[in-house]
Amino acid sequence: MLKHLTIFSLLALMSSCASTDKPEDKLSGSVDSLLSLMTLEEKIGQLSLYTSDWDVTGPTMREGYKEDIRKGRVGAIFNAFTAKYTRELQQLAVEQTRLKIPLLFGYDVVHGHRTIFPIPLGQAASWDMEAIERADRIAAEEASAEGIHWTFAPMVDIARDPRWGRMAEGSGEDTYLGSQIAAARVRGFQGKGYGDVGAVLACVKHFAAYGAPQAGREYHSVDMSERMFRDVYLPPYAAAVKAGSATVMSSFNDYDGVPATASEYLLNEVLRKELKFDGFVVSDYTSVMELIPHGVAADTASAAALALTAGLDMDMQAGFYQDALPRLVKEGKIKESLIDQSVRRILRKKFELGLFKDPYRFSDTQREQSTVMKPEFLEAARDMSRKSIVLLKNEGGDKAILPLSKNVKQLAVIGPLANARRDMIGSWSAAGDWKKSVTLLEGIKAAVSPATKVSYAKGCSITGDSTQYLAEAIRLARQADVVVLAVGEGGLMTGEAASRTSLDLPGIQQRLVEEIQKTGKPVVVVLMNGRPLTITWINDHAPAILETWYLGTQAGHAIADVLFGDYNPSGKLPVTFPRVVGQVPIYYSMKNTGRPLEVNNKYTSKYIDEVNTPLYPFGYGLSYTTFSYEAPVLSSNTMTSRDTLDVSVKITNSGSKEGVEVVQLYVKDEVGSVTRPVMELKGFQKVSLKPGESKEIHFRLCNSDLSFYRKDMTFGSEPGKFRVFAGGNSRDVKQAEFELK
Ligand code: BGC
């Protein structure tokens, strides 16, 4: 299939006018000589990854696994950290095995290691590549100081269905933004390169298309057109590979009927041949075993054979390679050379990390002590958190409720998430200690002047239907001058295995909001959630709404910075907010259809019970100031596929405060050989402007920005008319047009 797709077409798809160089290969000699000494069992050991266990005091390990390490039957361990513990396990490998091959330690360092940063969806709302890269640099510094070599991140799965809980772990709905972030995160984790002791190997996941399970239900089948896959879902993985991601994780889902873990097409054809990935591929947790319930393998042996043949190098946690490969080789069903190929890929990373020179170089107690949760890391986390906050509503112009005065007399902080320490760090929070996170209540108390009396009531629980705390919350609200009301989902209601059929506030929180609103007091709603929620009622009634995701260790301080105006919010939604769950999947870069919406024509593409438009569009977010845009000006009204086009956008701070705006550039291909999206993001820049100040922002469009998978599945552009849109979100835009000759 798709033989005519060239490597060059795919590299071009990564939407950059530049290219990268691969490091020179100097290690194959060392890898080969080591390989020549290895028994089959030792080789298979390198293909096996097992988890450490968990205890209240931290990670521990069953004797059986330790014995596997001593026997050389396991080459990598995950969920083990701290300099001391990884050193202990490493000693087993290095001092007690025949060939002294060091272990590789992996861990899910997803949004910080000890210092927890906002969940990835929140970080994506910053649209700030430098800040995102820095967050992962810090995560890598902390993790590597605790003996970790390898993170199972970034997760770059495009997600357009908020029912799927893992949307929280990615960068949202957009291919371009997602690809920029994928690359930034790989750069952040891998720092100066493989072997830098302050860095970890990245593992881009989950390859591929894991973000599109049917009906948003976790682990469900993925079935999409090849065109959709290549145009929308593949580019972020490609961008991560291009940025040098050392490893890739296969996904749980099937794709076009074949589970990704056993998909030769995905792993060998697309990933290795087209994207030129040369690291190793690890399965997701027991996904080799899951080939049996998927119904493509009848038993352990056929599952192991299918996965290895498909190009899956390392088996996470299933133990199927360990159990089945020795016999498969003896029976001649699997060639040892196939195993050698995977072992080579894994050993190479161990060499690149410098583990053969010093297997303990990452397990450094002193570095651990001086690195973990440094004040400057906490400051960076606070900054990243502020940048991730999105102001969704602040009605009233000059009289708007936000920012609040620090001298307000009575401030009531209400809601089940107002003082919810555990929830602040969200899911996949690695070795983050939730007890060290700052709640909203604490952040507010630390920010206000001594003249302010801050009261607090929970109001209700996050879930459940008990009304016992409501009355107290209403009483406090009545006494207050202003109410800050924190509602949303529990920190673990998103992440893996957290699909929902409703996007409403869980429990009786909606009732709490309505009761507080009834008091007539000015209310600022602070949302905490890992996916868009359907908050139409709140939008219709509350004067101010802040989207704060789960902001991590410094959450409370960061939210207070925004509430009281010490920081002017600049976040923009990386995902569309529907009005009702029935609109999903809803995303801005949809197709026009043959019957685009006409309000008064029944037979056009719409619902009979709800409008088509979202509550908040992709790219949306307000500021305490306002910005006005002029229509984009193009350097020419024609271009050829060899030219670049300069797009200049004049933007003015038309309000009274200094602020930062994310200027967004979208493109529409008017007529194609296949249907094209109504618009696609092709550039963005963050710009800071003083009141009254104007700036001209320049973007450069080149042929790859106009390219897509054409009718014949070749990648490229097509001549014709294009529209260019610029604005502060995907809805409110000004436009210009040009022709591609
Ligand atoms: C998740 C992966 C994760 C792995 C190891 C799996 O359940 O899908 O994202 O890296 O566990 O913890």
Side-chain angles (χ1 to χ4, degrees), residues 78 108 152 166 169 205-206 210 249 252 284-285 316 428 496:
F78 67 118
D108 288 277
F152 302 142
R166 296 197 90 166
E169 278 177 66
K205 69 188 189 186
H206 306 81
Y210 180 48
M249 187 184 291
F252 286 128
D284 202 347
Y285 202 103
M316 184 198 290
W428 288 117
E496 187 174 354

Side-chain angles (χ1 to χ4, degrees), residues 163-185:
R163 290 174 296 182
W164 188 54
R166 296 197 90 166
M167 177 182 267
E169 278 177 66
S171 302
E173 74 183 42
D174 186 58
T175 305
Y176 181 86
L177 179 62
S179 301
Q180 301 290 315
I181 293 176
R185 299 200 59 193

Side-chain angles (χ1 to χ4, degrees), residues 49 51 78-79 107-110 151-153 155 157 166 169 203 205-206 210 218-219 249-252 282-286 290 316 428 496:
L49 166 67
T51 179
F78 67 118
N79 291 333
Y107 193 39
D108 288 277
V109 179
V110 171
T151 175
F152 302 142
M155 187 278 225
D157 305 316
R166 296 197 90 166
E169 278 177 66
C203 180
K205 69 188 189 186
H206 306 81
Y210 180 48
E218 185 67 298
Y219 314 129
M249 187 184 291
S250 73
S251 54
F252 286 128
V282 62
S283 77
D284 202 347
Y285 202 103
T286 64
E290 290 166 30
M316 184 198 290
W428 288 117
E496 187 174 354

